[in-house]
Amino acid sequence: MIDVCSHFHQITLQGVSSLQSNDLYVNHQGILQGAAYVGEDGIISIHTEKCVGCMYCVAACPYKVRFMNPETKAADKCNFCKDTRLARGEEPACVTVCPTDALVFGDASDPKSEVAIMLNTKITYQDKTHLGTKPRVYRVPTKRGGI
């Protein structure tokens, strides 16, 4: 699947669920007391110091991607290694170590990027679009499964 995060970040996975959705953030914002925010890069992140640990966002997330961080005791989710690897200009760790090259990370607005080419040439689908959360996760069916 390809996670098309805003206009900047994307990640391609097959068989793994991950997403960034502004509407999901808006829906959770009141619950999280402002702990969730959308950065300039389009990635939804969580201010751990603002999280009250109520776990409502974990329970309410229709994609089941949020969890309670055992170290910080705050809600958390994948942020594509934005504070570490992305900050150094590297790809997220999952993309780098994927043994089957099923993951792609890049800029969808760049027509020459691998992600943009994949979106324009492959059949893709999105989960739970009926919820109105405007997901930016796209799955690319494989020969073993499919739509």
Side-chain angles (χ1 to χ4, degrees):
M1 78 190 161
I2 302 167
D3 184 356
V4 183
C5 301
S6 181
H7 58 280
F8 185 68
H9 296 290
Q10 301 180 338
I11 188 165
T12 302
L13 308 169
Q14 293 181 344
V16 178
S17 181
S18 171
L19 83 119
Q20 300 287 317
S21 168
N22 287 335
D23 285 352
L24 187 61
Y25 157 75
V26 171
N27 291 340
H28 289 184
Q29 185 177 14
I31 294 172
L32 292 172
Q33 304 299 316
Y37 67 96
V38 180
E40 291 180 19
D41 52 14
I43 296 174
I44 298 172
S45 298
I46 298 173
H47 289 296
T48 55
E49 67 279 0
K50 291 184 179 183
C51 175
V52 297
C54 66
M55 295 183 56
Y56 285 138
C57 67
V58 175
C61 179
Y63 303 97
K64 306 300 180 205
V65 297
R66 292 188 185 222
F67 61 93
M68 292 303 288
N69 185 314
E71 293 178 15
T72 65
K73 308 290 189 237
D76 209 347
K77 60 179 285 308
C78 171
N79 69 359
F80 307 105
C81 303
K82 84 175 200 176
D83 299 323
T84 53
R85 298 181 61 82
L86 289 183
R88 294 190 303 261
E90 300 171 352
E91 293 183 321
C94 59
V95 175
T96 304
V97 301
C98 180
T100 61
D101 293 326
L103 308 175
V104 177
F105 189 86
D107 183 351
S109 64
D110 176 3
K112 295 181 182 179
S113 73
E114 185 178 356
V115 171
I117 292 168
M118 186 175 289
L119 283 172
N120 289 323
T121 60
K122 302 273 186 181
I123 294 173
T124 62
Y125 67 98
Q126 296 172 295
D127 283 339
K128 302 184 180 184
T129 55
H130 65 283
L131 297 175
T133 56
K134 299 179 186 170
R136 289 181 234 138
V137 175
Y138 295 83
R139 293 179 184 257
V140 179
T142 65
K143 292 178 182 176
R144 298 166 90 191
I147 296 177

